[in-house]
């Protein structure tokens, strides 16, 4: 007969699953119970991982059987996402555990497309997700997610409810203004409009809110990174050198405001000719990798330059939704999971657990 203590001790020498794609250690195994030769345990994973549950289950089962081959194992794999640290002095937003900024050094690198597909991939992996389109000069998320109508407002209540699309919540400056309103807002006005969007939207208990920042690394982006309680930031780049120079500025900006870089994504890396199938690195290769090494930031991976990504986005059904089994969707899912694993490694935020002390 094997005891619970033996099982707990056995787990302590488990090497765990530790790679950029999957992360589970003995510390995530809770509530161990043993009845005869049956072991029950909860596995609490701190990031969305639905596509990995079978690997987690079979690895743990195989490991426990090294203790005794006749052991039967029943695991309850739970996704438990907690709030992570934000800049000192900022408070978490109600209804949102983690805010992740998606940034780029310049426009046109595919930041919004990546933000949308990553948000949908996080949801597919088991998280509750929202997206905020802060790209105030060119809000493209309403088109990509086919957002229709206005956010709903209840009489006498403050704020508005976000729209929903494909299982995620979404809000964009694009749904709050008329289409023909000229985008003449500048500097502080842009920031205050975005602050209002953030403050007044009533998110419904999100694990992650993905914020699609305006492109560039100017004052607007700096102010937003200082004022929004970000848990981390992801930088999207193309492999061209010029884009990489801009990205360095982005990395520096987040460093300055103490927002952890969860990773760099290289978009439009390889092109496969739809006629002949030949694959070419038309913008050069390896740039994102080198940059990540130089700055000691994680390199989350590459996305191909593929017409299907653009076509599906333009028609309002992003590829993660319209072609769920394609290798490109798999690439987005991997990127999203790697990003959330990086976040799971950063410190936890506990300030929301302390009661407010009111002095009278
Ligand atoms: P940004 O937010 O950086 O300005 P967008 O996400 O709006 O860029 O993308 C710019 C254009 O490039 C869009 O037409 C989009 O559909 C397209 N696009 C983005 N990523 C890819 C990709 N990997 N392959 C093909 N087209 C892409």
């Amino acid at each position: 007969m094997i005891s619970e203590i033996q099982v707990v001790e056995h787990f302590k020498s488990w090497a765990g699953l530790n790679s950029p794609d999957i992360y589970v250690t003995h510390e995530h195994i809770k509530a161990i119970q043993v009845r005869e030769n049956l072991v029950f345990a909860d596995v609490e994973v701190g990031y969305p991982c639905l596509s990995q549950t079978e690997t987690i289950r079979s690895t743990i089962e195989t490991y426990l059987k090294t203790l005794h081959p006749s052991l039967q194992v029943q695991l309850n794999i739970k996704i438990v996402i907690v709030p992570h640290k934000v800049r000192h002095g900022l408070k978490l937003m109600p209804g949102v555990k983690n805010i992740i900024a998606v940034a780029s050094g310049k426009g046109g690198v595919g930041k919004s497309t990546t933000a949308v597909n990553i948000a949908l991939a996080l949801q597919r992996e088991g998280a509750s997700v929202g997206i905020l389109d802060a790209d105030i000069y060119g809000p493209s998320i309403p088109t990509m997610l086919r957002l229709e109508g206005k956010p709903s407002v209840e009489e006498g209540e403050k704020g508005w409810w976000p729209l929903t699309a494909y299982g995620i919540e979404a809000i964009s400056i694009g749904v709050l203004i008329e289409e023909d309103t000229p985008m003449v807002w500048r500097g502080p006005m842009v920031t205050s409009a975005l602050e209002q969007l953030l403050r007044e939207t009533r998110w419904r208990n999100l694990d992650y809110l993905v914020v699609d920042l305006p492109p560039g690394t100017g004052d607007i982006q700096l102010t937003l990174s200082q004022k929004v309680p970000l848990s981390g930031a992801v930088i999207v780049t193309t492999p061209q050198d010029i884009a990489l120079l801009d990205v360095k500025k982005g990395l520096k900006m987040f460093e300055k405001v103490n927002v952890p870089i969860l990773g760099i994504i290289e978009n439009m890396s390889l092109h496969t000719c739809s006629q002949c199938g030949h694959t070419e690195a038309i913008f050069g290769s390896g740039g994102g990798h080198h940059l990540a090494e130089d700055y000691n930031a994680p390199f989350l991976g590459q996305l191909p330059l593929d017409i299907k990504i653009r076509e599906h986005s333009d028609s309002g059904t992003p590829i993660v939704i319209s072609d769920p089994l394609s290798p490109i969707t798999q690439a987005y899912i991997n990127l999203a999971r790697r990003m959330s694993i990086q976040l799971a490694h950063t410190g936890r935020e506990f300030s929301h657990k302390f009661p407010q002390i009111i002095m009278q």
Side-chain angles (χ1 to χ4, degrees), residues 15-30:
L17 284 159
N18 192 352
S19 76
D21 287 300
I22 191 161
Y23 175 67
V24 185
T25 71
H26 72 268
E27 287 175 358
H28 301 120
I29 304 189
K30 320 265 180 188

Side-chain angles (χ1 to χ4, degrees), residues 107-113 144 267-268 304-306 309-310 313-314:
V109 299
K111 171 183 52 58
S112 304
T113 312
M144 285 190 219
N267 189 33
M268 309 187 189
L305 172 67
D306 194 305
I309 297 181
R310 189 190 62 70
S313 296
D314 286 355

Side-chain angles (χ1 to χ4, degrees), residues 134-179:
D135 194 345
I136 210 143
Y137 296 121
S140 47
I141 286 175
T143 310
M144 285 190 219
L145 289 177
R146 252 189 232 170
L147 297 180
E148 274 160 18
K150 298 271 174 201
S152 58
V153 182
E154 273 161 45
E155 267 219 41
E157 296 261 356
K158 214 169 156 269
W160 47 72
W161 296 101
L163 299 171
T164 52
Y166 308 118
I168 66 173
E169 301 198 333
I171 197 101
S172 164
I173 194 72
V175 296
L176 294 181
I177 52 163
E178 299 306 325
E179 240 167 61

Side-chain angles (χ1 to χ4, degrees), residues 119-139:
L120 293 165
L122 285 170
Q123 192 255 355
R124 210 176 114 174
E125 282 287 83
S128 70
V129 184
I131 188 161
L132 187 148
D133 182 4
D135 194 345
I136 210 143
Y137 296 121

Side-chain angles (χ1 to χ4, degrees), residues 43-84:
V43 186
E44 291 187 2
V45 186
Y47 55 92
C49 61
L50 287 183
S51 65
Q52 305 296 308
T53 49
E54 272 327 297
T55 310
I56 297 171
R57 198 182 296 283
S58 66
T59 311
I60 294 177
E61 208 173 295
T62 308
Y63 179 67
L64 277 181
K65 282 183 187 266
T66 61
L67 183 63
H68 201 284
S70 73
L71 278 184
Q72 298 289 306
V73 182
Q74 260 190 36
L75 300 173
N76 181 17
I77 300 177
K78 299 178 180 171
I79 297 169
V80 181
I81 296 161
V82 296
H84 292 272

Side-chain angles (χ1 to χ4, degrees), residues 219-359:
D219 286 349
I220 297 172
Q221 293 79 0
L222 182 64
T223 313
L224 283 173
S225 328
Q226 281 168 323
K227 290 194 169 179
V228 177
L230 297 174
S231 304
V234 172
I235 304 219
V236 180
T237 176
T238 55
Q240 296 102 309
D241 280 344
I242 179 70
L244 294 177
L245 266 181
D246 291 322
V247 172
K248 286 180 188 162
K249 288 192 209 151
L251 287 166
K252 286 234 162 75
M253 178 182 83
F254 287 114
E255 202 179 84
K256 206 152 102 187
V257 295
N258 285 325
V259 172
I261 301 286
L262 303 177
I264 295 170
I265 295 175
E266 199 179 277
N267 189 33
M268 309 187 189
S269 292
L270 292 169
H271 176 246
T272 303
C273 174
S274 55
Q275 300 291 313
C276 71
H278 176 66
T279 296
E280 227 176 352
I282 30 182
F283 296 126
S285 66
H289 238 298
H290 292 143
L291 184 83
E293 266 171 21
D294 289 352
Y295 281 79
N296 207 13
F299 181 66
L300 298 177
Q302 294 176 314
L303 290 161
L305 172 67
D306 194 305
I307 190 166
K308 289 197 282 283
I309 297 181
R310 189 190 62 70
E311 283 174 349
H312 287 298
S313 296
D314 286 355
S315 66
T317 48
I319 192 156
V320 169
I321 295 299
S322 53
D323 199 353
L325 300 177
S326 70
I328 296 175
T329 295
Q330 195 52 55
Y332 280 116
I333 288 177
N334 290 343
L335 290 174
R337 191 164 9 81
R338 285 175 200 151
M339 178 193 83
S340 53
I341 291 177
Q342 288 301 327
L343 180 61
H345 288 310
T346 69
R348 288 178 64 166
E349 175 69 46
F350 290 109
S351 57
H352 63 295
K353 298 231 162 169
F354 291 110
Q356 238 186 341
I357 298 167
I358 299 165
M359 307 284 276

